[in-house]
Amino acid sequence: MQRTLSLDQSPPLGAVLRYFLATPVFALLAGALLLWQGAPALASRWSPSTLALTHLLTLGTLGMTMAGALIQILPVVAGVTLPRARILAPGVHALLAGGVAALAAAFLFSRPWLFQLALVLLLPAFAWLIGALTLALWQMPPPGALPMTATVRLSLASLVVTVCLGALLAGAFAWPAAAAPLPLMLATDVHALWGVFGWAGMLLVGVSLQVVPMFQVTPLYDEPLPRVLGVTIFLLLVTWTVSATALRARLPWTEPLAGALLLAAYALFALATLRLLARRKRPQADAMTLFWRLAMASMLACAALWAAPAQLAGDGRALAMGVLMLVGFLYSTINGMLYKIVPFLLWRDMQERAADGQRVPAIKTLIADQQAQRQFWLHATALVLLAAACWWPALLARPAAAAMCLSAGWLLLNLSTGLWRACGAMRCGAARARVDANPALGRHGG
């Protein structure tokens, strides 16, 4: 697998930075909601506050970064061209942000008109994003990017399934007098399955195949893992869906078997990634390394919890598995990746805008790794508290929410600091260039 970058095809900084800055904002909103609602938000996966919290995390926190990352990474890593990228990025971002807010409010206050508003905003957002990405992925990428783009295509197909089922479910709440086309409980399970393990999980796997060796300076993933993992996960999702919808009564053993194999596939990916991280060429672990290790450990903990006996796992198992997957596995990876992607994009933009002879700050000076590592430990604390709160919600829900708010706020502060330093460096550089061009300005200013 060849690792090449087409930096000349990178979209403008403002097009994607809005997605990455929105990520901690939605995490902050999710933490604030949990702080407000307390234990009821973790008492059951079906309570209104739990559903609002879940969609702030999945569609807001995770979805924002995933959409922005695809708009940024596909042209650069896979060399494909996104049609009308300049209007695609802000358009999808505005629709997605408004739709997530409307949907969370709809679950929280149980208002049909809010579900209707969410559908009006979210369906065009996903249709626009999926259509543009499908046209881009239709192009032939360079050979080194084939495993990544193949997995991203399957992830995109999973997103189509997730959006269709989500629209049916939201439609049932938006027009409650109409007959539901599918059993709501079953449709919700399948919707969550394809959203978490298909769309989000497979996208993380596909991008990891490219960025872990690149950013962590590790060897490449061993063959045949990059070629078969995405297809295997997709086929297991299909098998699990058929088992849950058509075979549950006649062959009840097929559903847990498909679930076990799916978690085993993700556990294999986690072990392979941890093995690569142990072989990285830089001996000192940076913040991104810590976030990757925590993410892979969360995936393994999720698989172990699923395999644990029911008497030992207790009533909090289902919610704890959701916390480990969403906050531990997916959000930890995204949090760590932001510390690589955002400074690099800022540095790249400064290089393009710098005057002749003007020096731009090094990437490492935009966001200090020490600050990022401190935020990592707060994030890890929030994750542990959130997972434990699934068993003891009355005791730990609000402390977990407070830690989550502090962690998200710290991430937003670190990203904003990087942006502020980049803007400040460009202003100083431009002023110095004007003085060099006209020395009289410097004498007058002194």
Side-chain angles (χ1 to χ4, degrees), residues 137 141 145-156 202 206 209 226-227 230-231:
L137 288 168
L146 278 173
M148 187 197 82
T149 53
T151 308
V152 170
R153 288 186 182 118
L154 295 174
S155 171
L156 210 57
M202 269 202 291
L209 300 176
R227 287 187 290 106
V231 177

Side-chain angles (χ1 to χ4, degrees), residues 1-52:
M1 182 169 57
Q2 185 183 0
R3 288 172 284 160
T4 57
L5 296 178
S6 303
L7 294 174
D8 55 323
Q9 299 204 43
S10 179
L13 174 66
V16 293
L17 193 60
R18 68 188 71 220
Y19 288 90
F20 301 141
L21 291 177
T23 298
V25 172
F26 276 102
L28 196 56
L29 288 174
L33 176 61
L34 181 57
L35 194 62
W36 171 35
Q37 293 288 309
L42 295 177
S44 162
R45 58 178 289 210
W46 304 108
S47 73
S49 53
T50 308
L51 291 169

Side-chain angles (χ1 to χ4, degrees), residues 255-314:
E255 186 180 348
L257 177 62
L261 292 175
L262 183 61
L263 285 171
Y266 273 100
L268 180 63
F269 164 74
L271 289 172
T273 304
L274 286 174
R275 180 170 174 266
L276 285 187
L277 293 176
R279 297 165 62 194
R280 62 196 298 273
K281 295 179 181 178
R282 294 170 181 164
Q284 190 70 28
D286 59 14
M288 186 178 175
T289 313
L290 298 176
F291 277 106
W292 274 102
R293 287 173 178 166
L294 179 64
M296 298 307 119
S298 298
M299 180 64 246
L300 294 175
C302 181
L305 192 56
W306 186 87
Q311 299 85 349
L312 182 64

Side-chain angles (χ1 to χ4, degrees), residues 130-342:
I130 292 170
L133 294 176
T134 302
L135 288 176
L137 288 168
W138 197 263
Q139 305 161 39
M140 180 57 69
L146 278 173
M148 187 197 82
T149 53
T151 308
V152 170
R153 288 186 182 118
L154 295 174
S155 171
L156 210 57
S158 302
L159 177 61
V160 173
V161 178
T162 306
V163 170
C164 290
L165 287 170
L168 288 175
L169 290 165
F173 292 115
W175 293 277
L182 292 172
L184 292 185
M185 300 278 280
L186 177 60
T188 303
D189 285 342
V190 179
H191 165 70
L193 175 73
W194 282 89
V196 174
F197 291 96
W199 157 234
M202 269 202 291
L203 182 61
L204 188 150
V205 169
V207 173
S208 302
L209 300 176
Q210 199 77 24
V211 301
V212 168
M214 184 186 302
F215 288 153
Q216 290 296 303
V217 197
T218 71
L220 304 181
Y221 282 87
D222 292 335
E223 293 289 348
L225 191 70
R227 287 187 290 106
V228 304
L229 185 59
V231 177
T232 302
I233 291 173
F234 189 84
L235 292 177
L236 286 171
L237 284 169
V238 174
T239 306
W240 195 348
T241 304
V242 173
S243 304
T245 55
L247 301 177
R248 182 174 282 178
R250 287 177 291 174
L251 300 172
W253 53 270
T254 56
E255 186 180 348
L257 177 62
L261 292 175
L262 183 61
L263 285 171
Y266 273 100
L268 180 63
F269 164 74
L271 289 172
T273 304
L274 286 174
R275 180 170 174 266
L276 285 187
L277 293 176
R279 297 165 62 194
R280 62 196 298 273
K281 295 179 181 178
R282 294 170 181 164
Q284 190 70 28
D286 59 14
M288 186 178 175
T289 313
L290 298 176
F291 277 106
W292 274 102
R293 287 173 178 166
L294 179 64
M296 298 307 119
S298 298
M299 180 64 246
L300 294 175
C302 181
L305 192 56
W306 186 87
Q311 299 85 349
L312 182 64
D315 295 335
R317 171 161 65 178
L319 274 176
M321 287 180 63
V323 167
L324 289 170
M325 278 299 295
L326 295 178
V327 182
F329 181 54
L330 297 171
Y331 182 47
S332 295
T333 308
I334 283 172
N335 194 327
M337 288 281 290
L338 287 176
Y339 284 124
K340 285 289 182 184
I341 295 175
V342 171

Side-chain angles (χ1 to χ4, degrees), residues 339-354:
Y339 284 124
K340 285 289 182 184
I341 295 175
V342 171
F344 175 77
L345 294 179
L346 293 172
W347 175 81
R348 170 78 180 166
D349 184 71
M350 285 190 294
Q351 275 204 323
E352 290 181 345
R353 292 152 55 100

Side-chain angles (χ1 to χ4, degrees), residues 17-104:
L17 193 60
R18 68 188 71 220
Y19 288 90
F20 301 141
L21 291 177
T23 298
V25 172
F26 276 102
L28 196 56
L29 288 174
L33 176 61
L34 181 57
L35 194 62
W36 171 35
Q37 293 288 309
L42 295 177
S44 162
R45 58 178 289 210
W46 304 108
S47 73
S49 53
T50 308
L51 291 169
L53 177 63
T54 301
H55 285 84
L56 282 174
L57 284 172
T58 52
L59 275 178
T61 306
L62 304 180
M64 278 291 177
T65 302
M66 290 159 64
L70 281 175
I71 292 172
Q72 172 65 36
I73 288 177
L74 277 185
V76 174
V77 176
V80 300
T81 303
L82 290 173
R84 301 183 183 276
R86 286 185 179 274
I87 61 171
L88 165 76
V92 171
H93 179 270
L95 291 169
L96 192 57
V100 174
L103 187 62

